[in-house]
Amino acid sequence: MQKTTEITQETDSTLKLPKKRSPTGGKSTTGAPSPQKAPAQAARRKPLQTTNLGDPELYLNRELTWLEFNHRVLHMATDDATPLLERVKFLAIVGSNLDEFFMKRIGGLKQQIAAGIRTPYVDGRTPLEQLRESQVVVRDIHQEQNRIYRQLQKLLETRGIRLSRYTELQQEEQKLLRETFITNIFPLLTPLAMDPGHPFPFISNLALNLLVSLRYPGGSAYHYARVKVPMVKGIAPRFLRVDDSNTYVKLEDVVANNLDLLFPGMEITSCELFRVTRNAIVEIEEEEADDLLAMIETELRDRHFAPIVRLQVEKDMDPTHKGMLAAELGLDEESEVFGVESMIAMRDLFEIAGLDFPELHDLPHKPVDHTRLIHDSRSIFHIIRERGALLLQHPYESFSTSVERFLHTASEDPKVLAIKMTLYRTSEESAIVDSLVNAARNGKQVAVLVELKARFDEAANIRWARRMEQAGIHVTYGVVGLKTHSKVILVVRKDYNGLRRYAHIGTGNYHAGTARLYCDLGMLTCDDAIAQDLTELFNYLTGYSPPPSYRKILTSPYTLKQALLDKIDREIKNHSADSPGLIQFKMNALEDVDITRALYRASREGVKIDIIARDTCRLRPGIPGLTENTRVIGVIGRFLEHARIYYFHNNGDEEYFIGSADLMMRNLESRVEVVTPVEDPKLRQELRLIIDVQLSGRKDVWDMQMDGSYIERKDTTGKKSLSPQETLIELAQKRMAAASKHQQAKLRKKLLNHFHKRLQDND
C-alpha cells in the first residue's frame, strides 16, 4: 500500500461499516453500525460537524469504501430486472474482486503490520485497525454471497440449468461422470501423503485442494493426504457437464466421489475442500537490479511462495482438521480462516454465466463504428488531418475499427516512418502486437515501452516483450522506480507538406477484450503541441531526464498533481455569485489526500463539486458548512466504468481533460500517467453529454451518504428509465443511424447530379 499523508493524533473516523443488506432488496442503508463494532464505535463517535480539514473524521477509508463498492456490485446479482445469467456474472465478479483484495490490499496491510507501522492514516486508522475492520466487512460480504448463490441456484433450476451435487444424480449420470473422471481427470491427480515421511505439501495460490482423511481397512489410525483439484481449461473445467444435459457438477465434487480409484483398498473417512490466498506484493529493489526483465521473472517465482493471507474452508469442516490446516500454514484460526457455506472460489461462476442461453443474458451489444470513420474509406491519417480530432467512446464505439485501424494503417502506410507506444496490458490474441510486429517488418522504426509491472499480467507482458524484441522492435521497460500506466501511441508520418505526428491518448488499455467490457475514452489527434509533448515524453521514457514542463499534456509524477491542485485553487478564486465555480471529476478512485483536502476547501468556499467515482472515495458529501454543495455518485452497470474526465468551469473558459490517471497517490506520485486537454468544441459536447447523462441517471446510479454508505436512486416518474450506460448505447446507435442517413442523402444527391450532368451532355 502506498503511504499517504500521516497524522499523529489517533482519532477514529466516523465511517460506519457497510451494513448487512436487506434480505429482499440488498441495498445500502444508513443506521446502526455492524454489531461486531457497535460498542467501540458508539463510545467514540460524535456528530460530524467539523470543518477542520485536518480532522480524521473527514476522510473515509480506502479499503472500506472499496469494499462498499462490492456491496453495490452484489446488488446487481439480486436485481430481478437484471437477466439471470448476468446476475450470476456479478456474483462471480465480486468473488474475483475479493481474491484480488486479499492478494493486494490485505497483503499490503499485513506487510505494514509486520514492519511495525502503527502510525494512523489520514482517516485515523492504523494498518492493524484497517485490517480488522476490513475482515469484518469481508465476512459480511461472504454471508451475502452465500445467500445470493442459493437464491440464484434455485432460479437457474427453474430455467432448466441445474447445479447439482454428485450424490443427487441418477446412477446412469454418475456413471457418465465417472467415465469422464477416468479419462480426463484421474491422470492429472497426484495424491500427497502427510506423515513424518511426507512433510506438509506446498499449497499454491488460489488452487482448490481436498484434505482427505483415510485409514486402512480394519485399522484405527487415521492418515491424511492432500489432493490438488486439477482445473485445466478445455479439459477439466470447474463445472462438469453431465452428458448433453444442462446439469453441472463441481469438479471437486466429482473428484471427491471417485477417490476409491485414487486410494484403492483404503477407507475414505472424510474429504474436505480448502483454498489459500497468497500475498501478491513482493517488493524487489529496482535500483539494484541489473536486468528488469529478470527481476520481474524472479518476482513472479517469489510470489508463488509468498505468505498466505487467507485460508478458505468448507463451513462444516471438522474443527480438528481446520485447526491442523491453520497451524501447518501458520495462520490465526480466528481471523485468517474463512468458512464458506456454499461455494469456495465463486470467481469460477463465470463458466455458468457464459452459458449460451440468449434469453438469460443482456441483449447483445455490438459497438458501432465511429461516425467519422465508417463512411470514409480514406487513410485514417487524412481524416484526422482534414477533419480534426476524434473522440472515441468504448464500448459504445468499436475499438477494432478505430484504435486497431489506426495502428494497422500505420504499420502498412509507406509514409509512416516511426511508431512509439506504451503497452500496459493487451489481449492474448493481440491485433495491436501484430501491427507493431508488421510495422517493424515493413522497415519502420518501432519503439514500445512494455510495463512489466502490470499486476497479474507480468508473465503475459514478458511474452509480448520477447516476441517484439525478436521482430526487431526497440523494447524498453520504463523508468526505474515508476510504473508506466499511460495509454499513448505516437505515429510519425511524412505528409505532403513535411513530417506530421499523429497520436492516440486513452483512458483504457490497448486490449480488445476489455474494450468491449470497460467504459473508456480515447482521442485521435494531430495537434502539434500535443505531438511535441508526447515526443518529449517518449524521449524521457526511453532516455533519462523529463522536460521541465509540457505545452498541453499533464503528466505524473511531475506536473499532473500540482496542475490539478492549481486548477482547484483557481476555481475557488474565480467563484462568485455571478459566475459560480464548478468542478466535475469522473474517475475510478479519489484517494489522494491532498486532492481531497483541496476539494474540501473549494466546497467550503461555495464551489459546486460533482464526483462520479466508481469505487474508492475519501471525500464525504453533505457535511453542514463544508460539503453541502458536493455530491458523490457511483454508476454500476453491465460495463465497468473506467474512463477519467476532469472538468473545470474556469469562469466560463471551460477546461476538459481525459487520461489514464485516477486521483490516487500512487497514480499522481509514483506512476507515469498522461492526461490531455480536449479543446475541440464538438468533442467537449460529447464529454458534457457523458457527464450529464451519468449525473442525471435514475437507474443503476447510487448516491453516497455522509457516512460513506450509498443509496440507490429510485425512479419516481412511473416510466421505464434507461440506465446511463443504456442511454449511451442508444445515443451511439442514433448517431450511427443519423450518419448513415446523411451519407445516403449525400449519395443520392451525388447520383442525381451525375444523372443531370449526363442529360446536359446528351443535349
Side-chain angles (χ1 to χ4, degrees), residues 51-158:
T51 57
N52 172 16
L53 300 187
D55 194 324
E57 293 191 3
L58 291 180
Y59 301 92
L60 297 170
N61 179 262
R62 171 182 174 177
E63 320 303 344
L64 298 180
T65 56
W66 188 87
L67 288 171
E68 173 65 22
F69 159 67
N70 280 276
H71 270 304
R72 301 197 296 280
V73 178
L74 263 184
H75 167 76
M76 299 297 290
T78 69
D79 189 352
D80 292 336
T82 303
L84 184 54
L85 289 178
E86 301 298 330
R87 294 168 65 177
V88 175
K89 178 192 73 176
F90 284 113
L91 194 58
I93 288 172
V94 173
S96 177
N97 285 352
L98 289 183
D99 287 345
E100 188 169 326
F101 181 75
F102 272 89
M103 287 188 285
K104 293 170 62 176
R105 307 308 311 156
I106 296 296
L109 289 173
K110 284 179 174 287
Q111 284 183 335
Q112 294 179 59
I113 294 167
I117 297 175
R118 298 179 181 177
T119 306
Y121 279 64
V122 68
D123 57 273
R125 291 173 172 81
T126 64
L128 180 59
E129 289 174 328
Q130 293 182 72
L131 175 66
R132 288 173 175 169
E133 293 192 37
S134 295
Q135 287 172 336
V136 171
V137 180
V138 166
R139 293 183 190 278
D140 180 45
I141 293 176
H142 282 169
Q143 290 182 7
E144 188 79 352
Q145 284 179 297
N146 290 328
R147 182 187 66 80
I148 295 170
Y149 177 85
R150 292 190 295 268
Q151 179 188 36
L152 294 181
Q153 188 176 14
K154 293 177 181 176
L155 291 172
L156 287 169
E157 192 157 349
T158 65

Side-chain angles (χ1 to χ4, degrees), residues 603-641:
S603 182
R604 183 171 59 187
E605 296 302 319
V607 176
K608 180 174 170 51
I609 297 173
D610 293 322
I611 303 293
I612 306 172
R614 187 186 74 194
D615 44 73
T616 298
C617 182
R618 284 200 184 275
L619 184 145
R620 298 176 183 267
I623 301 173
L626 185 61
T627 52
E628 292 168 309
N629 26 321
T630 295
R631 58 176 165 173
V632 179
I633 72 164
V635 176
I636 306 287
R638 67 186 290 182
F639 308 126
L640 181 73
E641 292 293 330

